[in-house]
Structure formats: C-alpha cells, structure tokens
Amino acid sequence: EGQVRLANGSVDAGRAEFCFNGRWSPFCNMNEATASIICKQLSFNSYTWASIITDGSFGSIANYSHFDNITCDVSASDLSSCTINNNNCKPWCPSANVAIRCFESGECTGDGSIRLVDGFVEHEGRVEVCVNGVWGAVCDEGWDLTDSHIICQQIGHPEL
C-alpha cells in the first residue's frame, strides 16, 4: 500500500502506477508536484523533477484506475501524504494512462562553479552554474560573445 512504480518502461520512465487498496493502479491524471514526488519516492535525489507523458507511449492497463486523482503539494514526502480523490471516481480513463519521466538535475558543491554539458565534443555544451547545491542551466537571453569568452576563461580555456 502506498508504493509506486514505473511500468512498461525503464528505470527513469514509464507508466506511473500506485498501489491503492492492495492493487496496482495507473493514473488517469496528475499534477506536476505528484509526478516529482513519484520520482523522489523511487529514490531519485531531492532535486528531481519530472515530465508528464500523456500520449500512451508506455501502454495502458485497460484504461482503468482505482482512484480519480491524487493531488500533492510540493512539500509532500510520498504519495501517502497526498490527497486521494476517490469520491467521483470515473474508473475508465478518458485517454491513455499517464506516464512520467524522472530527471535528476544533479547535486553540486561550490556555488558559482561552472560546467558544460550535453556537447558533441569535450569543450562545448550547455552552460550550467552551481547555485545552492544544484546545477542549473544559464538562459541565453542577453548572452553575447563577451559572456562566452568569460566562461571559457573560467573553465580553463584562454581563447574561444
């Protein structure tokens, strides 16, 4: 009771299922906080975020759910501390069961540290900065050649 799993997918993506009243049940819908809490409950780190996938790409279990909706607050630690709406239960999902993909932003030390990620070669990629122990991407709005030059110098490359 209260366990979660990602079915018909991989470790970080699949059809979200919740053990409710002793049975595994898919989700018909959920909010973003619920998706993130599922990922955290599956042992992703505390900086995890999730995307909700509604296209049926991870299959359906007869489009049936034992509950109407679970709504979580971002402060919830697991699904058992969320609100389970079973009053107006519509057992047949109007579309495919909901799947999620869990992403770990990664933890870091050293606020202000910089790294390049997801490049095709070693010295290119998206610029990320460590802030409050979490890696975050830098927005390119207002970015210019001077900014690129400074980043290159900071990571040990004197020229662009």
Side-chain angles (χ1 to χ4, degrees):
E1 194 72 22
Q3 295 174 309
V4 294
R5 69 182 180 187
L6 298 179
N8 209 27
S10 63
V11 174
D12 63 350
R15 185 180 57 245
E17 295 182 357
F18 178 60
C19 187
F20 182 72
N21 290 336
R23 293 193 170 138
W24 286 106
S25 179
F27 289 79
C28 289
N29 53 54
M30 72 175 69
N31 63 6
E32 290 178 12
T34 303
S36 290
I37 289 163
I38 290 170
C39 292
K40 290 173 188 171
Q41 195 169 334
L42 291 169
S43 299
F44 285 82
N45 72 39
S46 60
Y47 301 109
T48 296
W49 62 280
S51 64
I52 299 171
I53 304 165
T54 58
D55 66 1
S57 57
F58 293 98
S60 292
I61 301 177
N63 264 5
Y64 184 82
S65 181
H66 293 281
F67 53 87
D68 187 31
N69 191 18
I70 295 181
T71 305
C72 297
D73 185 89
V74 291
S75 62
S77 59
D78 58 47
L79 290 185
S80 63
S81 57
C82 299
T83 302
I84 300 174
N85 181 355
N86 201 24
N87 296 335
N88 298 318
C89 187
K90 299 171 191 144
W92 296 101
C93 297
S95 59
N97 301 144
V98 175
I100 62 173
R101 181 174 306 279
C102 302
F103 298 92
E104 289 190 272
S105 59
E107 297 179 55
C108 58
T109 56
D111 276 2
S113 297
I114 295 171
R115 71 179 183 179
L116 297 176
V117 295
D118 296 335
F120 290 108
V121 294
E122 182 182 358
H123 303 297
E124 72 173 24
R126 182 180 65 249
V127 177
E128 291 188 340
V129 178
C130 179
V131 178
N132 296 326
V134 180
W135 288 108
V138 175
C139 179
D140 64 354
E141 190 172 323
W143 189 272
D144 63 19
L145 192 57
T146 302
D147 299 312
S148 298
H149 186 69
I150 291 169
I151 293 297
C152 286
Q153 287 180 327
Q154 281 187 284
I155 61 175
H157 303 289
E159 300 296 323
L160 287 177

